[in-house]
Amino acid sequence: MHIDVIASINEARAIDLSQRTVIVIDVLRATSTIVTALAHGASGVIPVETIGQAKQCAGTHDLLGGERYCKKIPGFDLGNSPLEYTGASMKGKRIILTTTNGTRAIQKSLKAEYIFAGSLLNAKACAMTALKLRNDIALLCAGTQDNFAFEDGICAGMILHEMLHLPLPSELNLVYNDLGKMVLSAYRHHQDNMHMALMDCASGRRLMKIGYAQDIEHCAQLNAISLVPRFDRHMMIPFSLAI
Ligand SMILES: O=C(O)[C@H](CS(=O)(=O)O)OP(=O)(O)O
Ligand SMILES: [Mg+2]
């Protein structure tokens, strides 16, 4: 089984994603937000690219969420802080989400057979689920404005690490690309102090500067959630192999 780590949305263009399982990773903050919302009982998250599409999609009972320049979009109910997507108010809510990088990365993966949202919060669950499906896998780092982002690479490394620690049938040989080797060693180097590592990368510093330090603490938790969001008929919903 081949596992390719893809550095950014731009680089995904060169790769045939059809018949693959793609795990889209945007640790700060879109995929962490999606995982958190579903874990708190949201019925689904619809990721869209533009503010216009978000407004068009939203029914009267839906919540509009997202950011531009890390800040809540004027007129929207919620920003892109995962902490806003916790608590009883999430129960049964459908959320329309638009963010600079993460929701765009999901939209760019539409050719894939399966699309999951991965984060540090649910890395092990993503690793287990993707391996069970037996497709070749792409770990798509959303990055920041088409550039590689440290936190997404670290998460790709963690998912690989978790895959390598699962009991695998002997015929299943995991082959990963050179970027996979890099991010795996980066994850192993930082795994015992992930919070510090996220505070010290460019996206983390940007979020800290504008008052989102608590988001970083939340997003740095390793394997705190066992749910895997799957993009299914335009919406991210909890994945179950029985579907
Ligand atoms: O809100 C976020 O954390 C980012 C915005 S930015 O790229 O840091 O300006 O969006 P995301 O799509 O979650 O990367
Ligand atoms: Mg990001």
Side-chain angles (χ1 to χ4, degrees):
M1 184 183 286
H2 285 265
I3 304 165
D4 286 317
V5 176
I6 305 174
S8 67
I9 300 173
N10 242 349
E11 304 214 359
R13 285 192 201 142
I15 295 176
D16 180 13
L17 296 179
S18 58
Q19 292 168 25
R20 290 233 194 186
T21 295
V22 175
I23 303 177
V24 176
I25 301 167
D26 188 355
V27 170
L28 299 174
R29 296 169 289 174
T31 54
S32 299
T33 295
I34 293 168
V35 173
T36 302
L38 294 179
H40 283 84
S43 60
V45 180
I46 301 182
V48 298
E49 285 198 55
T50 68
I51 295 173
Q53 286 166 349
K55 287 180 176 165
Q56 231 172 23
C57 273
T60 40
H61 299 296
D62 297 333
L63 293 176
L64 272 173
E67 57 70 40
R68 288 298 179 268
Y69 307 105
C70 300
K71 303 242 174 77
K72 189 172 109 172
I73 297 161
F76 275 36
D77 304 295
L78 302 161
N80 189 26
S81 165
L83 298 176
E84 291 178 79
Y85 294 77
T86 59
S89 61
M90 277 297 113
K91 204 111 200 102
K93 288 284 183 218
R94 199 173 73 153
I95 295 146
I96 322 294
L97 185 71
T98 178
T99 74
T100 315
N101 309 292
T103 58
R104 198 160 68 90
I106 293 167
Q107 289 297 335
K108 298 295 179 217
S109 308
L110 294 184
K111 288 201 177 118
E113 187 170 357
Y114 291 93
I115 304 170
F116 298 127
S119 68
L120 296 169
L121 296 167
N122 68 339
K124 187 173 186 174
C126 285
M128 286 169 61
T129 303
L131 286 186
K132 273 188 197 149
L133 294 168
R134 296 288 194 271
N135 288 339
D136 285 336
I137 295 168
L139 302 179
L140 173 56
C141 299
T144 299
Q145 317 265 18
D146 289 326
N147 291 312
F148 178 71
F150 170 87
E151 68 277 13
D152 299 337
I154 281 284
C155 181
M158 180 177 176
I159 293 171
L160 255 180
H161 174 89
E162 296 291 355
M163 285 175 173
L164 294 168
H165 281 79
L166 286 168
L168 299 175
S170 56
E171 74 278 4
L172 199 63
N173 189 19
L174 302 186
V175 179
Y176 43 95
N177 65 354
D178 279 0
L179 185 56
K181 289 187 174 58
M182 289 284 292
V183 295
L184 185 59
S185 45
Y187 166 71
R188 287 174 175 165
H189 180 73
H190 289 287
Q191 64 178 326
D192 294 329
N193 208 343
M194 195 54 74
H195 185 200
M196 190 67 85
L198 292 200
M199 285 194 296
D200 196 34
C201 66
S203 310
R205 286 197 299 269
R206 185 166 53 241
L207 288 168
M208 300 255 294
K209 208 166 155 188
I210 57 169
Y212 289 115
Q214 284 186 324
D215 283 10
I216 298 167
E217 198 175 345
H218 175 81
C219 296
Q221 298 174 89
L222 308 184
N223 291 330
I225 296 175
S226 58
L227 176 152
V228 178
R230 179 192 175 188
F231 186 72
D232 184 28
R233 278 160 276 170
H234 309 293
M235 182 151 79
M236 307 274 348
I237 53 170
F239 179 66
S240 138
L241 270 175
I243 287 177

